[in-house]
Amino acid sequence: MTRIVLASASPARIGVLRAAGLEPEVIVSGVDETAFSAATPAELAGQLAQAKAAAVAAGLPDGLVIGCDSLLDLDGRALGKPASGAEAAARWREMAGRTGTLVTGHCVINAATGQQAAAVAATAVRFGTPSEREIAAYVASGEPLAVAGAFTLDGRGGWFVDGIDGDHGNVLGISLPLLRRLLAELGFGVTELWA
């Protein structure tokens, strides 16, 4: 059986992969995200995903290492996890009633051979218009402080998202269709990896 390693502690990513039949081992990369910059949010998400996968793969003799990083592209700005409750609230006031693009960089590295495949998935997110009271309650829940873009689709934030255009899983942090294509590039059929 092929070892699958997720270079992320994201509960959402782990949940998506487990629900889809994989049993990933989790090894957090420890990559300093502040050391990276790029011309676009999509490029930055791609760089971070590759850096995280590479950092974990470097310490392994074998296995398929999956690195991901998600950012919200709002007017060309890369929005990751907010640093404070005040920042999360301000961000929600800015996003309300607008559409942003959730970009997730994906990188898969075969640790035994060093081969890698990488790409970025993008999903448009149409935000609702929560009231000040709803924003305050959502920020107080702590949920938006732990996620890129200060929102979730599968948690309390889902109440304030009017819809998406694209892959639902990508907004949760990992696109299964894209991951299947990347694994195929490395010669692995996804059904052969099911636990």
Side-chain angles (χ1 to χ4, degrees):
M1 186 167 176
T2 304
R3 180 184 190 187
I4 306 291
V5 179
L6 178 63
S8 168
S10 162
R13 287 189 187 111
I14 296 163
V16 169
L17 290 176
R18 286 188 176 146
L22 300 184
E23 279 301 326
E25 178 182 339
V26 173
I27 301 176
V28 179
S29 69
V31 165
D32 176 11
E33 297 182 15
T34 63
F36 291 80
S37 64
T40 68
E43 288 176 22
L44 181 57
Q47 282 182 18
L48 289 167
Q50 289 179 298
K52 291 175 179 182
V56 171
L60 300 177
D62 59 23
L64 295 173
V65 180
I66 302 167
C68 294
D69 193 82
S70 297
L71 296 165
L72 180 68
D73 180 339
L74 191 67
D75 300 327
R77 291 179 298 131
L79 304 177
K81 296 175 186 172
S84 66
E87 183 180 334
R91 195 176 293 175
W92 262 99
R93 288 184 201 102
E94 183 181 5
M95 296 184 313
R98 301 183 61 204
T99 299
T101 303
L102 196 291
V103 292
T104 301
H106 295 67
C107 180
V108 182
I109 298 177
N110 182 336
T113 66
Q115 286 181 293
Q116 72 173 25
V120 177
T123 304
V125 181
R126 298 186 309 277
F127 295 103
T129 309
S131 68
E132 280 296 319
R133 188 174 184 176
E134 288 171 325
I135 290 172
Y138 184 46
V139 170
S141 76
E143 185 180 273
L145 298 176
V147 291
F151 78 98
T152 61
L153 195 58
D154 60 339
R156 291 183 171 129
W159 293 103
F160 313 118
V161 175
D162 285 348
I164 65 168
D165 297 308
D167 179 8
H168 171 268
N170 184 54
V171 182
L172 302 182
I174 191 162
S175 169
L176 293 177
L178 177 55
L179 183 58
R180 182 180 58 81
R181 291 191 294 273
L182 297 178
L183 288 165
E185 280 183 40
L186 298 180
F188 292 86
V190 72
T191 58
E192 299 155 20
L193 301 174
W194 287 350

